[in-house]
Amino acid sequence: IVKPDLGRKVQGILRIADAVVLRHYARHAVMDYHIQECILHPKEAGVFYHRLPGEAKGRVTGIVRKEFLAVTGDGVRPVLELLEEDARGVLYADQVRRSLGSKAAEVPAKGERRVVSPFGNHARGALFIDDSHLIDERLHRRLDAIADLIPGFFFGRLDIRFRSWEDILEGREFVMLEVNGAGYEPTHLYDTRHGIFFAW
């Protein structure tokens, strides 16, 4: 994956298939970027955390689960057609057509769930679901241990890719994609079950 060094709401993030694509990206990049391993863990969450400087323990105040934009095949229609018939998916159809290329014309098998945008961001079609009910003391301890490894980190959201929630709690098989500091929001508030008063 290549991405700009400064967050731009998923702008400029691209999965790189080969050296040709990477060279093209490098020639046309308008800002500094970095290359990051493509993490294939199937799940992503944002965990919002804060603690006061000088204190040993902090608090997790919100968890957002990110469901990637996907279609479910019927064995007849191509990916793009399935997407265009979905109430949310149609909003991202042009974007997906450009990013998938010829894969947008593939016909998924009946019942096959196909992720068409593997990015945990609204701008790429991800659905944000409040999973704050998962907050417990084990998670507080895990996040305290992670925050101890990041000098000066006291407030923000950690975006994590993982296989199972238990893996995070046990400290195995998960990868922190990003550390988003004081300029970022607790994204669990974007769950459509919540309203403006909850967000405030």
Side-chain angles (χ1 to χ4, degrees), residues 108-121:
K110 186 173 183 178
E112 177 190 349
R113 184 176 183 272
R114 174 110 30 122
V115 172
V116 296
S117 180
F119 300 102
N121 188 285

Side-chain angles (χ1 to χ4, degrees), residues 4 23 58 62 89 111 119 124 168 176 190:
R23 280 193 287 273
F119 300 102
R124 295 289 184 99
I168 295 175
M176 264 192 323
Y190 293 125

Side-chain angles (χ1 to χ4, degrees), residues 1-3 13-14 16 34-39 159 175-178:
I1 298 286
V2 290
K3 60 171 66 171
I13 295 182
L14 184 66
I16 299 296
H34 62 273
I35 301 171
Q36 183 176 356
E37 178 186 359
C38 180
I39 306 301
D159 289 339
V175 175
M176 264 192 323
L177 296 178
E178 294 179 358

Side-chain angles (χ1 to χ4, degrees), residues 64 130 185-192 194-195 198-199:
V64 64
D130 185 351
E185 65 270 282
T187 47
H188 64 285
L189 64 87
Y190 293 125
D191 187 318
T192 56
H194 300 318
F198 177 89

Side-chain angles (χ1 to χ4, degrees), residues 126-194:
L127 185 63
F128 285 15
I129 298 167
D130 185 351
D131 265 356
S132 298
H133 65 278
L134 296 174
I135 297 171
D136 62 13
E137 197 51 43
R138 291 173 72 195
L139 185 63
H140 289 305
R141 288 196 301 271
R142 176 61 49 209
L143 268 289
D144 284 337
I146 291 171
D148 285 342
L149 300 173
I150 308 171
F153 178 71
F154 300 104
F155 181 94
R157 190 186 72 242
L158 306 176
D159 289 339
I160 302 169
R161 288 292 287 258
F162 60 100
R163 296 185 188 281
S164 76
W165 192 250
E166 190 66 21
D167 284 345
I168 295 175
L169 298 177
E170 293 294 328
R172 62 174 188 256
E173 288 293 312
F174 71 87
V175 175
M176 264 192 323
L177 296 178
E178 294 179 358
V179 177
N180 300 287
Y184 286 82
E185 65 270 282
T187 47
H188 64 285
L189 64 87
Y190 293 125
D191 187 318
T192 56
R193 293 172 297 181
H194 300 318

Side-chain angles (χ1 to χ4, degrees), residues 92-108:
Y92 303 94
D94 287 340
Q95 186 182 98
V96 169
R97 182 187 297 110
R98 288 191 302 273
S99 65
L100 288 184
S102 62
K103 291 185 177 181
E106 292 179 356
V107 177

Side-chain angles (χ1 to χ4, degrees), residues 26-81:
R27 277 196 302 272
H28 295 90
V30 296
M31 63 188 303
D32 290 342
Y33 63 90
H34 62 273
I35 301 171
Q36 183 176 356
E37 178 186 359
C38 180
I39 306 301
L40 298 177
H41 294 340
K43 299 178 182 181
E44 184 173 333
V47 180
F48 207 87
Y49 171 89
H50 67 84
R51 73 172 165 186
L52 292 172
E55 292 192 353
K57 295 184 178 182
R59 301 294 297 168
V60 174
T61 57
I63 301 170
V64 64
R65 174 168 37 102
K66 302 175 181 184
E67 284 193 1
F68 305 126
L69 185 62
V71 296
T72 301
D74 60 7
V76 178
R77 292 174 295 172
V79 167
L80 193 60
E81 191 175 324

